[in-house]
């Protein structure tokens, strides 16, 4: 599959885009939504279908925790309370991951950016590589369904942030206070598409794929 991009209402292939000497052929996706909205679940299917590199800040942080690094110990303390990890920590992790994976078709960002500052940093990092976000896909799920799903996952995931309803509700509050406005940031560039996140996993995947196919060439 050849990968192009959309600017305004115009679709460009990698070979006819303006400034071909500069523009990147990579296509980057942000999969956005509150905790438990299906980002991780859908990411697995999307990377298999489109051959993108999956970058989940939650997974990167859990690896640091499992390896008992100083960064992991600091992150665990915050994650166990349902709070966000500081911007400079997650931006540093993403910056290293971008540098370590320069030959890929594109990145699927899962759970990142979670603040406007993270979004601005990501745009700058991609710009340094002559790239930009192709589409921002936002999953919409009711709060009660989120709590139900996460408590259910907590029965088997071993994740300490999934077992306590109060912590789960703190994560949702943190999302409402600090993260939901990231969609407004990308809306100013006409990149946001809302996707209903309740229903079967396959139906939601099909809805996401339809939007990606309309933008990838
Ligand atoms: P994440 O690892 O990003 O986890 P999440 O938001 O809880 O999960 P996700 O949304 O991917 O789960 P999914 O719906 O797939 O973050 C964890 C913590 O890390 C954060 O709270 C924060 O502290 C920290 N962190 C991460 N990134 C950060 C950043 N950028 N800045 C600062 N801090 C950061 O799965 C949920 C459940 O729903 C699963 O059991 C799944 O099977 C089920 N499910 C999925 N789709 C379904 C469907 N359609 N129907 C029914 N069930 C479904």
């Amino acid at each position: 599959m050849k990968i192009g991009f959309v600017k305004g209402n115009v679709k460009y292939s990698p070979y006819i885009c303006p400034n071909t000497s500069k523009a990147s052929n990579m296509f980057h996706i942000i999969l956005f939504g509150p905790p438990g909205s299906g980002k991780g679940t859908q990411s697995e299917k999307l990377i298999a279908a489109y051959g993108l590199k999956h970058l989940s800040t939650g997974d990167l942080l859990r690896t640091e925790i499992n390896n008992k690094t100083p960064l992991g110990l600091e992150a665990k303390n915050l994650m166990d309370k349902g709070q966000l990890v500081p911007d400079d920590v997650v931006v540093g992790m993403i910056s290293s991951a971008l540098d370590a994976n320069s030959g890929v078709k594109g990145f699927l960002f899962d759970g990142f950016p979670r603040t406007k500052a993270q979004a601005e940093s990501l745009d700058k990092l991609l710009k340094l590589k002559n790239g930009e976000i192709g589409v921002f896909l936002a999953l919409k799920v009711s709060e009660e369904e989120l709590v139900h799903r996460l408590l259910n996952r907590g029965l088997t995931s071993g994740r300490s942030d999934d077992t306590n309803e109060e912590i789960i509700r703190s994560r949702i509050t943190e999302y409402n206070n600090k993260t939901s406005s990231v969609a407004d940031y990308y809306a100013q560039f006409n990149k946001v598409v809302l996707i209903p996140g309740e229903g079967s996993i396959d139906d939601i995947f099909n809805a996401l794929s339809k939007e990606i196919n309309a933008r990838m060439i």
Side-chain angles (χ1 to χ4, degrees):
M1 183 190 308
K2 289 175 186 166
I3 299 176
F5 65 96
V6 172
K7 235 189 176 109
N9 293 325
V10 186
K11 224 181 233 182
Y12 295 97
S13 84
Y15 304 111
I16 57 168
C17 59
N19 295 323
T20 35
S21 59
K22 288 182 81 186
S24 154
N25 290 350
M26 296 198 280
F27 188 86
H28 308 302
I29 298 170
I30 293 175
L31 189 56
F32 186 77
S37 55
K39 302 183 297 287
T41 304
Q42 294 296 335
S43 289
E44 278 183 30
K45 295 174 75 70
L46 291 170
I47 53 163
Y50 294 99
L52 299 171
K53 174 72 186 168
H54 183 203
L55 287 185
S56 157
T57 38
D59 288 350
L60 291 171
L61 288 167
R62 282 185 287 277
T63 301
E64 296 284 340
I65 291 172
N66 290 339
N67 291 338
K68 297 191 168 55
T69 64
L71 189 159
L73 293 175
E74 183 195 346
K76 181 169 169 40
N77 189 26
L78 293 162
M79 288 164 77
D80 280 352
K81 289 189 260 183
Q83 293 172 6
L84 293 183
V85 173
D87 290 337
D88 55 341
V89 172
V90 280
V91 170
M93 288 191 324
I94 286 289
S95 177
S96 307
L98 294 183
D99 287 343
N101 293 283
S102 52
V104 300
K105 282 183 179 176
F107 292 100
L108 174 63
F109 296 100
D110 161 8
F112 178 87
R114 262 176 155 99
T115 63
K116 188 170 168 241
Q118 292 181 19
E120 288 169 345
S121 298
L122 176 62
D123 279 0
K124 280 185 199 149
L125 288 171
L126 292 179
K127 208 167 174 189
L128 287 174
K129 298 176 189 306
N130 300 317
E132 62 176 324
I133 293 300
V135 67
F136 180 100
L137 299 165
L139 293 166
K140 218 175 147 26
V141 176
S142 71
E143 179 162 340
E144 287 321 300
E145 172 70 9
L146 296 174
V147 173
H148 170 77
R149 284 184 190 178
L150 292 176
L151 282 174
N152 210 24
R153 183 171 69 182
L155 297 174
T156 53
S157 67
R159 276 178 57 171
S160 43
D161 57 345
D162 280 349
T163 41
N164 177 313
E165 181 166 344
E166 204 180 316
I167 301 215
I168 289 173
R169 291 205 187 265
S170 301
R171 290 163 64 191
I172 296 171
T173 303
E174 190 88 332
Y175 170 84
N176 291 333
N177 290 342
K178 297 184 184 163
T179 304
S180 57
S181 61
V182 173
D184 300 332
Y185 172 80
Y186 284 101
Q188 64 180 318
F189 308 117
N190 293 322
K191 294 191 191 278
V192 177
V193 182
L194 293 180
I195 305 284
E198 291 184 44
S200 84
I201 288 171
D202 283 344
D203 285 350
I204 297 163
F205 172 72
N206 289 336
L208 292 166
S209 298
K210 198 171 146 215
E211 296 300 333
I212 296 168
N213 294 342
R215 289 163 177 81
M216 259 187 177
I217 297 164

